[in-house]
Amino acid sequence: MNFDTIKGKFNQIKGDAKTEFGKLTDDELLMLEGQSDKFVGVVQEKYGIAKEEAEKKVDDFLKKY
């Protein structure tokens, strides 16, 4: 995964991210822009899942783009 590429497309995929990760707020998504580690961490915290599972969810989501 090239997160720099994803960062450039973030505004395009933000709507899909809100659908996929509905527990994240708009402010959180903006704060996380281009910061993959923080994105995984917030998904982990919001969904109460292990880091590995959060990484997989984020990676699977980002592979679409």
Side-chain angles (χ1 to χ4, degrees):
M1 164 181 67
N2 181 343
F3 210 80
D4 290 332
T5 302
I6 300 302
K7 181 179 176 182
K9 296 181 179 184
F10 195 79
N11 285 333
Q12 296 173 358
I13 65 170
K14 189 168 53 172
D16 290 342
K18 289 189 323 189
T19 300
E20 183 79 19
F21 303 103
K23 293 183 181 182
L24 298 177
T25 66
D26 287 340
D27 289 341
E28 287 169 329
L29 287 170
L30 288 174
M31 177 188 72
L32 298 171
E33 183 176 354
Q35 300 177 41
S36 62
D37 291 341
K38 287 185 180 180
F39 191 6
V40 170
V42 170
V43 169
Q44 180 184 2
E45 179 182 337
K46 290 283 186 171
Y47 288 87
I49 57 178
K51 181 179 180 182
E52 293 78 18
E53 185 178 352
E55 287 173 337
K56 182 174 178 358
K57 285 185 174 289
V58 170
D59 283 344
D60 289 347
F61 173 73
L62 294 175
K63 285 178 185 175
K64 298 176 193 175
Y65 301 94

